Amino acid sequence: MCRLSPGAIENVHLEGKHSMFDPRDPYERYYWHYESRRPLSMAQIIALGSVDAKTAALIWLLLENGSSLTVAGPTDPQPGVGKTTTLNALLQFLPEGTSLAYMAGMYENFAFTNIPDIAPKTTYALCNEVSDHLPIYMWGRVARRYLTLPAKGYHIATSVHADTIDDVMRMYQRTLRVGPEDTRRLGLVVNIGLVGRLYPPRRRWFSTHFIQPNVNPDKPEAVEPLPLSLWNQVDDTFLYADQAILDDLANWIGISSQQFATEVTRRTEFLEEISQGSGLDQEEMFEAVAQFREQQP
C-alpha cells in the first residue's frame, strides 16, 4: 500500500489493500512523520550554517540524475535533529516530473509496483524512516524489500538512526541483510547531528557520502562509500572530495569531468545567492529552482 504524488507536488489517491494514509492531508503527513513542525528550504538550511552551498550543489546534481538518498541522524534520540526537515528540503532537487510513492511503514504491500502506468525510472519511494521504533516505520523484511526497490529501477529516499556512515552500512548490510549489489544502488547518505551546548542547538551535516555503484574487482563483496563532504569541527567548514572521486561521479552521471565541475559551480553560485540573509522559504525556492532549470544551457 502506498500513495503516489506526481511531480513531487500534487497528491493523487491510489487504491490499495489498506487506506489508512492519504498524503494529500497535511495532518496525516504530519502524523505519519512525513512533515516536520518547522519545515525549511535548502536555502534556509544553508543560511543557518548547517551545510554549505557546495555540498548542497553536489547533492542536487546527483539527485537530479536519479540518486537514491538516506538521511541519517543520531542513535541517541535527540528531538529536533532535523532528519525529516532535511529529507523534505532535498526533495526539491529531484528531477522534474518525479513521482513520490509514500510508504505506509510496516503496513506497506508495495502494490504500486504492479500498477502499469507508474514508471520506475521517474518514481521515488519515500519512507519516513527505516527503524523498529514504530509501526509507521519500516523494519525487517518490509524494509529489506523497500531497500531493494532500486534493483527494479525505482529510487528511494528515507531516513535512519545512525551516527556515522559505518553505522548506516552496518544497519543495511548486517542487520537488515541487504546484499552488496543492492546496497551499491542506495546512492547518497547524509549524516547530520547537533553540535555545541548552546540553545537553540546548532545543526551540522557531519558527512555526505555516495555509495560506489561499481564493483571493486579486488574486493568484489566490498561496499565502498565515497566521501563527498566532511564537516571540519575545528573551523566549522566543509572538506570536499578529491578529483578522482569527482571524476567517478561525472562518469556515473554520464558527463565529462569539466561539465560536472561547471554544473556544480552553477548550482553553488545559485544556492549562495538565494541563501543570503535568512534564505528563500520553501515556496520561493521552488519557484527559484524552476527558473534556474529554465535557464539551463
Side-chain angles (χ1 to χ4, degrees):
M1 190 276 290
C2 82
R3 300 294 179 267
L4 195 74
S5 165
I9 306 168
E10 179 187 358
N11 296 316
V12 292
H13 186 74
L14 286 184
E15 293 299 334
K17 184 177 180 180
H18 306 286
S19 59
M20 73 282 287
F21 174 45
D22 183 356
R24 295 171 300 183
D25 186 334
Y27 173 79
E28 289 201 32
R29 291 200 304 273
Y30 177 75
Y31 178 82
W32 280 75
H33 297 185
Y34 275 107
E35 285 195 2
S36 56
R37 290 181 181 272
R38 186 193 171 203
L40 298 172
S41 71
M42 186 52 56
Q44 291 171 317
I45 291 173
I46 294 171
L48 289 168
S50 298
V51 70
D52 70 325
K54 185 174 180 179
T55 298
L58 278 167
I59 295 172
W60 177 357
L61 189 54
L62 291 170
L63 287 176
E64 205 167 56
N65 283 275
S67 174
S68 287
L69 170 68
T70 298
V71 176
T75 51
D76 178 27
Q78 302 179 58
V81 72
K83 296 195 308 298
T84 301
T85 299
T86 300
L87 185 60
N88 280 321
L90 288 172
L91 294 180
Q92 287 199 313
F93 293 149
L94 297 184
E96 290 183 282
T98 295
S99 296
L100 292 181
Y102 284 76
M103 301 293 98
M106 295 302 293
Y107 309 105
E108 182 59 54
N109 63 15
F110 301 95
F112 72 98
T113 61
N114 298 319
I115 299 176
D117 294 339
I118 295 180
K121 185 177 180 180
T122 58
T123 301
Y124 270 76
L126 180 61
C127 171
N128 44 16
E129 189 169 301
V130 172
S131 79
D132 60 353
H133 294 173
L134 295 169
I136 63 172
Y137 300 151
M138 284 183 161
W139 196 244
R141 62 178 179 79
V142 177
R144 186 161 53 252
R145 182 175 178 184
Y146 169 73
L147 293 168
T148 58
L149 285 174
K152 298 182 178 181
Y154 296 92
H155 318 278
I156 69 161
T158 188
S159 69
V160 300
H161 282 285
D163 295 308
T164 67
I165 182 63
D166 291 338
D167 294 331
V168 176
M169 294 296 99
R170 191 177 301 111
M171 175 191 294
Y172 283 168
Q173 293 188 274
R174 298 184 186 178
T175 307
L176 294 172
R177 303 196 306 277
V178 179
E181 188 173 352
D182 285 309
T183 306
R184 292 190 195 100
R185 297 189 180 101
L186 296 181
L188 286 159
V189 180
V190 179
N191 279 88
I192 67 175
L194 303 178
V195 298
R197 299 180 180 179
L198 301 176
Y199 185 85
R202 293 179 298 143
R203 298 167 180 84
R204 291 295 181 273
W205 294 22
F206 295 147
S207 67
T208 299
H209 288 80
F210 183 73
I211 302 173
Q212 169 63 267
N214 301 320
V215 178
N216 184 339
D218 296 327
K219 301 176 182 178
E221 294 300 313
V223 178
E224 301 175 332
L226 307 174
L228 305 188
S229 173
L230 303 174
W231 179 57
N232 182 2
Q233 183 177 359
V234 175
D235 58 4
D236 196 14
T237 58
F238 293 86
L239 307 174
Y240 310 112
D242 60 30
Q243 191 58 49
I245 291 176
L246 298 178
D247 290 344
D248 275 349
L249 296 178
N251 183 63
W252 180 76
I253 291 176
I255 60 178
S256 68
S257 296
Q258 182 177 359
Q259 185 179 356
F260 183 89
T262 299
E263 294 299 329
V264 171
T265 299
R266 289 182 64 243
R267 285 162 178 77
T268 300
E269 293 174 348
F270 169 77
L271 290 170
E272 288 174 343
E273 180 181 349
I274 66 173
S275 301
Q276 296 297 315
S278 58
L280 300 187
D281 63 26
Q282 283 187 314
E283 185 174 347
E284 292 169 335
M285 183 167 177
F286 180 84
E287 295 176 357
V289 169
Q291 292 176 4
F292 175 88
R293 285 172 168 161
E294 290 176 357
Q295 297 168 1
Q296 284 188 302

